[in-house]
Amino acid sequence: MFSPLCAFDKKQAIAHESNFIVGIDEAGRGPLAGPVVACACFIPPSIVQDFGDVDDSKKLTEAKREKLFARLTGESGVIYGVGFATAEEIDQLNILQATFLAMRRAAQKFLQIPDCCALIDGPYTVKDLPMKQYAVIDGDAKSLAIASASIIAKVTRDHYMEVLENIYPGYGFAGHKGYGTAKHLAALRSLGPCAEHRRTFGPVRRLLTNTNTLP
């Protein structure tokens, strides 16, 4: 089964004269804790029919994302790289620049491919990424490569936050994945920030300012 998303990538390959279309997307720009995670993903034309059910990760159930993640990262022939930018790096650089950093890290394995062309989800190209690249607004709903990258980035980050649940118990990271839910905010007020919290994000910054505490 061919996904309608693969037609978009084929058009991009023709338009940009590239046989190697890589989709790049991220997960975790909005949370108050944890890293931002990016993925760069290439699906060889010979196997695109195996991923006809791929869609924007935000449109999929958690169970469906997990199944697609297992297929994409298994012995399918998909080539991908994952990059992280930590909470500390987010505070140092700001979230946009940290996202670019994670994307550059994710794209490392593709840098030596001469005709590689990256499709970046969103309105921006990636600063200092040494390859041909184009920004695609709503790319995770248009491009098979970007949608696949969105799934890998999202599930990778979710799994990371589940690990943090055991390292920093009490915050509920496995459930809300670091987003500013009522439960998370209540835990923040009760426990204070941990090492994985983004100090420059409003609710965390205000808590630190109000308590005059620097954990």
Side-chain angles (χ1 to χ4, degrees):
M1 178 177 65
F2 284 91
S3 166
L5 304 185
C6 71
F8 179 88
D9 289 357
K10 186 175 181 179
K11 289 179 182 177
Q12 298 303 304
I14 294 170
H16 303 307
E17 299 180 339
S18 172
N19 294 313
F20 215 98
I21 296 293
V22 173
I24 300 181
D25 200 3
E26 54 72 30
R29 288 186 63 174
L32 306 180
V36 59
V37 179
C39 176
C41 184
F42 170 69
I43 300 182
S46 61
I47 62 170
V48 293
Q49 71 276 4
D50 297 335
F51 296 98
D53 50 347
V54 166
D55 203 345
D56 175 4
S57 64
K58 297 186 291 295
K59 298 178 181 178
L60 302 172
T61 64
E62 181 177 357
K64 182 65 173 179
R65 281 196 302 267
E66 289 284 351
K67 289 180 180 179
L68 285 169
F69 174 83
R71 285 165 49 202
L72 287 163
T73 60
E75 300 297 323
S76 62
V78 172
I79 303 171
Y80 68 97
V82 172
F84 284 58
T86 66
E88 183 178 5
E89 289 171 326
I90 291 168
D91 286 337
Q92 290 173 347
L93 299 172
N94 77 44
I95 185 59
L96 179 60
Q97 297 305 319
T99 298
F100 289 160
L101 176 60
M103 288 180 169
R104 289 193 296 271
R105 288 169 172 168
Q108 284 297 307
K109 69 167 55 184
F110 299 107
L111 296 183
Q112 304 306 315
I113 299 171
D115 71 337
C116 183
C117 176
L119 303 180
I120 315 297
D121 182 56
Y124 305 110
T125 53
V126 179
K127 181 180 178 182
D128 297 328
L129 180 65
M131 66 170 63
K132 185 163 58 174
Q133 56 172 318
Y134 299 91
V136 182
I137 295 174
D138 294 328
D140 44 9
K142 297 175 181 176
S143 160
L144 179 62
I146 296 177
S148 299
S150 78
I151 292 168
I152 296 173
K154 168 65 175 168
V155 177
T156 298
R157 188 180 186 281
D158 284 355
H159 290 175
Y160 183 88
M161 298 306 294
E162 289 162 8
V163 171
L164 291 186
E165 174 81 8
N166 297 319
I167 300 173
Y168 301 103
Y171 292 99
F173 287 142
H176 53 65
K177 306 299 190 292
Y179 284 89
T181 64
K183 180 179 179 180
H184 189 185
L185 294 174
L188 258 176
R189 289 190 293 270
S190 174
L191 302 173
C194 74
E196 288 285 342
H197 280 98
R198 304 172 182 180
R199 264 63 176 166
T200 54
F201 277 43
V204 184
R205 185 182 68 248
R206 287 191 293 272
L207 178 66
L208 291 171
T209 300
N210 292 339
T211 59
N212 197 29
T213 301
L214 292 174

